[in-house]
């Protein structure tokens, strides 16, 4: 089918660009730079080792310095174990099997620690993740075969060759905590034979709705449900919420947040608690002892030693085979008892669930999921539920060419266009004052999203205005270019002045301990650096520093704050707005605020896009327009 051939081409382009960027990052940089970029842990210390599946060796290591550097080493990714003594030869490849804080376990493709692991300083470095691309590619090829033979109704529906069908008379459970549009979404999910879409604008309780729908699905057909999302964070959130509702959840893969509650849901933890595990552990210990004895006989001794060494290794291998089969039994037992299995998109192909099929697969945050990766879980399903919002952030794509040719269009977006009958829009939001929400609802949701009575008029204090646009036009606040990022020092100073003034006003209503939470957002990284510096040089704001966070729009997706400031940064005579033209990203920024939203920008520069001109008009209509001169 042309549909999948095009996706395969786009995936190939993306893979090549991703590999080029990885190569640039690794080949031309020193170990110190790679460590700063989060690709490498170095130096590390070995904390233990044990035999694992397939006679491989799993080594537990800890990074001993530079522990606060954020890194990209995650469970399931391929990595290199190396020594700086001779990094060209002293290296062995493996896969990270566990990562938590400053410790990780890496399963190496060897059966004993190499001799060089005793020389020099050791490190672990991320390798380019070909495995994930291979798995995604295989899924697309498989989907293509099914589509060409018209063997799979779901594939035909998702590619637009057929229409989804629904049971007309499904009884809807009464769920008191859901509103009308949320109940409609649950009913739609239960009634769907192949496809249902939950469109959840900001603050409309998408997670709550999904959790109730999943419980209803389990009660309806007593079958296992697979729940996936593109990020570990999203998977974690759903896993925890389902667990709180008394659902038996099995979390496959490594949680991003390491909380006790989440860890208890993981396969590793449940295996360790299993009644049959004691026996397997005993056997494993025995195998390790045989192996250690074998290591005492060096390969270069005489024939008798070599034979003795081989006999001990053979015995260790034989025991490990028994361990593997009893572990497999435990895994099968845990999987069969679970009501819901949760994983990332690619994680849904891990060995313990690779060959399972499910009646229903739920893809959350589908607005941020690359379509090719979605096909891994879809192929395991008879019915798919897509949940998300295609009017918020789209997926991160490395190749601009692939994005332009359609990789940035998600399956969620396609299904909303192709099959409107499968879509339920959640229409009541529980986050924002109605004036903060109004513009977003008008532009993105055809005015269908309304504020729930509990938030519609809530404010920081009686008489405070929930929305302000502070216009810097005519102030001569010209942007500067720093590297590849724009900054606007005067705009940053004005924003801090405005915030300091607001803080003074709020001090008569709040103590520093219960001061409202504040987010300062800008699309430009350099502007954030400036804002952080200025925040530290604003003595009026120091009592509230713990309540103020400064960050990019992307890092606030899914979050909310009482007060949000957005520094638009761009101000130039040409009306160039760069990636401010990504209005979906702006939708995310503007809908983080609960009680007050302050946008600071230059209306003349922003006027090059109708989205901003209309926003200024919207603000004027609410008496929320101010000139920056009022603060100068």
């Amino acid at each position: 089918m042309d549909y999948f051939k095009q996706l395969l081409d786009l995936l190939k382009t993306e893979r090549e660009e991703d590999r080029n960027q990885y190569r640039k990052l690794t080949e031309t940089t020193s170990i110190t730079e790679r460590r700063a970029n989060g690709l490498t842990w170095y130096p590390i210390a070995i904390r233990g080792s044990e035999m694992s599946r397939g006679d491989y060796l799993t080594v537990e290591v800890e990074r001993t310095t530079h522990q606060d550097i954020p890194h990209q080493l995650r469970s399931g990714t391929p990595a290199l174990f190396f020594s700086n003594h001779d990094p060209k030869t002293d290296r062995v490849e493996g896969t990270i099997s566990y990562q938590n804080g400053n410790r990780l376990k890496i399963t190496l493709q060897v059966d004993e620690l190499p001799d060089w692991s005793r020389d020099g300083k050791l490190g672990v470095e991320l390798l380019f993740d070909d495995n994930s691309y291979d798995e995604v590619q295989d899924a697309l090829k498989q989907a293509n075969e099914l589509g060409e033979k018209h063997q799979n109704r779901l594939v035909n529906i998702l590619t637009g060759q057929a229409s989804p069908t629904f049971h007309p008379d499904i009884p809807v459970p009464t769920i008191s905590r859901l509103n009308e549009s949320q109940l409609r979404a649950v009913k739609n999910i239960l009634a769907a034979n192949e496809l249902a879409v939950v469109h959840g604008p900001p603050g409309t309780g998408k997670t709550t709705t999904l959790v109730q729908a999943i419980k209803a699905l389990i009660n309806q057909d007593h079958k296992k449900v697979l729940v996936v999302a593109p990020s570990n964070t999203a998977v974690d959130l759903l896993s925890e919420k389902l667990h709180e509702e008394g659902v038996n959840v099995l979390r496959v893969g490594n949680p991003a947040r390491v909380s006790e509650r989440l860890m208890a849901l993981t396969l590793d933890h449940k295996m360790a608690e299993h009644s049959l595990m004691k026996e397997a552990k005993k056997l494993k210990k025995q195998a390790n002892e045989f192996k250690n004895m074998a290591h005492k006989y060096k390969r270069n001794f005489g024939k008798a030693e070599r034979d003795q060494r081989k006999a001990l290794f053979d015995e260790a291998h034989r025991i490990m085979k028994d361990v593997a089969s009893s572990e497999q039994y435990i895994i099968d037992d845990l999987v069969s008892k679970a009501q819901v299995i949760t994983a990332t998109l690619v994680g849904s192909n891990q060995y313990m669930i690779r060959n399972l099929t499910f009646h229903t697969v739920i893809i959350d945050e589908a607005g941020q999921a690359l379509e090719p990766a979605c096909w891994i879980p879809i192929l395991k399903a008879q019915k798919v539920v897509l949940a998300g919002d295609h009017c918020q952030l789209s997926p991160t794509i490395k190749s601009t060419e692939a994005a332009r040719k359609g990789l940035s269009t998600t399956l969620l977006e396609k299904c909303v266009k192709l099959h409107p009958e499968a879509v339920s829009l959640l229409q009541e939001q529980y986050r924002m004052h109605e004036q903060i929400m109004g513009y977003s609802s008008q532009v993105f949701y055809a005015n269908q999203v309304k504020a729930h009575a509990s938030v519609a008029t809530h404010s920081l204090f009686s008489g405070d205005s929930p929305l302000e646009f502070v216009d810097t036009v005519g102030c001569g606040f010209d942007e500067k270019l720093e590297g590849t990022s724009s900054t606007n020092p005067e705009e940053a100073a004005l924003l801090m002045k405005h915030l300091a003034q607001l803080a003074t006003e709020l001090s008569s209503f709040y103590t520093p301990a219960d001061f409202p939470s504040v987010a300062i957002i800008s699309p430009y990284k350099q502007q954030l650096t400036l804002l952080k510096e200025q925040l530290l040089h604003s003595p009026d704001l120091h009592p509230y520093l713990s309540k103020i966070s400064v960050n990019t729009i992307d890092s606030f997706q899914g979050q909310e704050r009482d007060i949000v400031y957005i520094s638009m940064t761009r101000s130039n005579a040409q009306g160039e707005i760069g990636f401010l033209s990504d209005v979906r990203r702006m939708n995310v920024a503007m809908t983080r605020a609960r009680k007050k939203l302050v946008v600071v920008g230059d209306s003349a520069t922003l006027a090059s896009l109708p989205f901003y001109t209309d926003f200024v008009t919207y603000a004027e209509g609410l008496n929320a327009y101010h000139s920056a001169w009022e603060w100068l």
Side-chain angles (χ1 to χ4, degrees):
M1 283 173 77
D2 291 345
Y3 186 96
F4 291 105
K5 294 200 173 87
Q6 190 202 356
L7 278 180
L8 281 160
D9 285 345
L10 292 174
L11 185 70
K12 189 176 168 203
T13 309
E14 172 70 359
R15 182 182 199 154
E16 280 163 12
E17 177 56 31
D18 196 0
R19 189 185 278 116
N20 288 338
Q21 289 185 18
Y22 172 82
R23 206 174 279 143
K24 265 192 200 129
L25 262 179
T26 50
E27 287 180 2
T28 55
T29 52
S30 68
I31 198 160
T32 320
E33 290 172 286
R34 295 201 297 277
R35 177 171 64 198
N37 281 322
L39 296 174
T40 307
W41 279 14
Y42 176 86
I44 56 170
I46 294 179
R47 293 291 180 239
S49 67
E50 58 172 21
M51 291 172 79
S52 66
R53 298 192 139 254
D55 293 330
Y56 288 146
L57 180 75
T58 297
V59 183
E60 182 170 8
V61 302
E62 180 172 15
R63 63 171 168 175
T64 46
T65 64
H66 302 81
Q67 294 184 329
D68 48 348
I69 299 181
H71 63 89
Q72 302 169 40
L73 280 71
R74 299 282 176 271
S75 163
T77 49
L80 193 65
F81 177 62
F82 67 91
S83 156
N84 74 333
H85 185 65
D86 186 353
K88 288 272 181 286
T89 58
D90 297 353
R91 48 190 289 162
V92 55
E93 292 187 7
T95 305
I96 296 171
S97 53
Y98 170 82
Q99 190 272 311
N100 174 357
N102 286 303
R103 286 197 173 213
L104 65 77
K105 288 181 182 176
I106 176 168
T107 300
L108 304 173
Q109 292 161 7
V110 291
D111 59 10
E112 56 181 315
L113 264 176
D115 293 336
W116 52 254
S117 64
R118 298 167 192 79
D119 320 323
K121 284 186 179 159
L122 302 173
V124 170
E125 181 159 292
L126 208 56
L127 283 173
F128 182 71
D129 190 357
D130 268 315
N131 305 356
S132 293
Y133 277 107
D134 287 342
E135 304 229 333
V136 171
Q137 190 181 312
D138 290 347
L140 288 177
K141 287 178 177 165
Q142 205 183 327
N144 183 41
E145 275 172 33
L146 293 169
E148 282 182 339
K149 296 177 188 154
H150 296 290
Q151 278 175 333
N152 183 312
R153 201 168 148 66
L154 187 54
V155 173
N156 295 340
I157 288 168
L158 294 174
T159 54
Q161 319 286 311
S163 296
T165 59
F166 298 85
H167 291 297
D169 43 352
I170 277 282
V172 179
T174 43
I175 308 166
S176 56
R177 69 176 79 172
L178 298 188
N179 65 40
E180 226 173 293
S181 63
Q182 291 172 329
L183 273 171
R184 268 203 306 277
V186 172
K187 179 177 182 178
N188 194 36
I189 289 172
L190 294 176
N193 291 318
E194 307 89 4
L195 173 70
V197 177
V198 179
H199 182 190
T204 52
K206 171 173 66 75
T207 306
T208 309
T209 309
L210 278 185
V211 168
Q212 295 306 321
I214 292 164
K215 283 176 68 180
L217 278 168
I218 295 168
N219 293 335
Q220 181 191 43
D221 55 26
H222 307 290
K223 295 194 178 93
K224 247 187 260 315
V225 177
L226 175 64
V227 177
V228 291
S231 71
N232 274 306
T233 318
V235 178
D236 291 349
L237 177 67
L238 272 167
S239 304
E240 261 184 314
K241 296 273 189 236
L242 285 161
H243 174 63
E244 282 164 19
E245 290 281 310
V247 176
N248 181 347
V249 180
L250 179 62
R251 166 74 163 98
V252 173
N254 242 142
R257 284 202 324 283
V258 187
S259 69
E260 291 294 311
R261 281 211 307 281
L262 262 172
M263 278 319 205
L265 307 178
T266 60
L267 184 66
D268 285 349
H269 187 276
K270 289 192 174 195
M271 283 179 76
E273 303 279 284
H274 198 279
S275 55
L276 294 172
M277 202 57 191
K278 269 205 185 84
E279 188 51 36
K281 269 203 169 127
K282 246 204 280 217
L283 286 171
K284 219 181 210 178
K285 199 173 160 194
Q286 211 179 343
N288 274 314
E289 279 164 10
F290 278 124
K291 244 183 152 171
N292 292 335
M293 280 156 67
H295 289 306
K296 296 203 172 71
Y297 297 95
K298 290 281 183 247
R299 288 191 179 93
N300 52 5
F301 288 172
K303 182 178 181 320
E305 273 88 353
R306 270 205 305 277
D307 290 349
Q308 187 61 26
R309 177 187 165 101
K310 186 177 179 313
L312 287 162
F313 265 128
D314 288 348
E315 186 54 21
H317 288 317
R318 194 191 59 70
I319 296 173
M320 281 309 285
K321 277 213 174 73
D322 293 345
V323 171
S325 61
S326 60
E327 283 187 349
Q328 192 55 54
Y329 179 82
I330 294 171
I331 291 170
D332 294 344
D333 185 46
L334 290 169
V335 168
S336 71
K337 288 191 176 122
Q339 294 171 297
V340 172
I341 291 177
T342 60
T344 56
L345 297 167
V346 179
S348 66
N349 226 12
Q350 289 200 28
Y351 71 90
M352 53 299 258
I353 57 170
R354 174 166 290 158
N355 302 319
L356 291 185
T357 52
F358 297 84
H359 186 269
T360 307
V361 168
I362 293 181
I363 303 179
D364 190 19
E365 295 300 352
Q368 282 190 282
L370 275 182
E371 179 181 347
C374 291
W375 284 94
I376 294 178
I378 289 170
L379 291 175
K380 301 178 187 306
Q382 286 175 35
K383 159 161 137 184
V384 169
V385 178
L386 299 173
D389 182 8
H390 51 287
C391 306
Q392 293 184 59
L393 292 180
S394 47
T396 314
I397 295 169
K398 301 262 170 55
S399 157
T400 40
E401 186 196 343
R404 199 184 66 245
K405 289 184 172 168
L407 192 60
S408 58
T409 309
T410 58
L411 191 59
L412 176 72
E413 226 172 316
K414 291 179 184 176
C415 287
V416 168
K417 283 202 184 86
L418 280 172
H419 306 302
E421 70 278 24
V423 182
S424 317
L425 175 72
L426 303 180
Q427 293 174 314
E428 206 162 8
Q429 63 84 19
Y430 296 84
R431 175 184 299 159
M432 296 160 267
H433 187 288
E434 56 193 5
Q435 291 186 10
I436 297 174
M437 182 215 67
Y439 187 62
S440 167
S441 180
Q442 175 187 312
V443 175
F444 295 100
Y445 310 108
N447 270 328
Q448 285 182 284
V449 179
K450 302 284 177 249
H452 183 258
S454 61
V455 298
T457 57
H458 68 178
S459 57
L460 293 167
F461 56 87
S462 173
D464 182 47
S465 52
L467 180 70
E468 289 184 34
F469 175 69
V470 180
D471 193 353
T472 65
V473 71
C475 294
F477 289 5
D478 291 339
E479 65 183 74
K480 321 259 183 291
L481 195 65
E482 287 200 26
T484 53
S485 189
S486 301
T487 64
N488 195 325
E490 288 101 340
E491 181 179 291
L494 173 78
L495 186 150
M496 283 305 158
K497 199 172 197 175
H498 188 291
L499 175 56
Q501 197 178 318
L502 176 65
T504 311
E505 226 175 317
L506 291 172
S507 64
S508 44
F509 301 94
Y510 300 92
T511 66
D514 65 3
F515 194 78
S517 56
V518 183
I520 301 172
I521 299 177
S522 171
Y524 293 95
K525 287 217 165 81
Q526 284 305 120
Q527 182 73 347
L528 292 169
T529 310
L530 266 186
L531 286 160
K532 283 175 185 163
E533 279 168 20
Q534 302 213 1
L535 180 60
L536 295 176
H537 296 128
S538 309
D540 295 357
L541 294 170
H542 285 179
Y544 314 113
L545 283 181
S546 65
K547 302 285 185 164
I548 303 173
S549 36
V550 184
N551 220 325
T552 57
I553 298 174
D554 301 45
S555 67
F556 281 111
Q557 165 109 353
Q559 298 190 41
E560 53 185 64
R561 297 287 188 275
D562 295 317
I563 304 166
V564 170
Y565 277 79
I566 305 175
S567 168
M568 303 297 274
T569 312
R570 300 305 297 258
S571 174
N572 55 66
Q574 299 74 40
E576 283 174 8
I577 59 171
F579 57 65
L580 287 186
S581 56
D582 180 354
V583 296
R584 297 203 282 194
R585 186 170 255 114
M586 224 27 169
N587 184 32
V588 173
M590 290 175 165
T591 53
R592 300 305 97 199
R594 296 180 65 238
K595 297 177 177 176
K596 191 178 186 76
L597 171 66
V598 183
V599 180
V600 186
D602 175 344
S603 63
T605 303
L606 295 173
S608 66
L609 201 69
F611 175 83
Y612 295 110
T613 323
D614 294 348
F615 175 68
V616 174
T617 311
Y618 173 81
E620 286 170 341
L622 291 169
N623 220 357
Y625 176 90
H626 299 274
S627 162
W629 292 103
E630 296 172 36
W631 285 271
L632 295 177

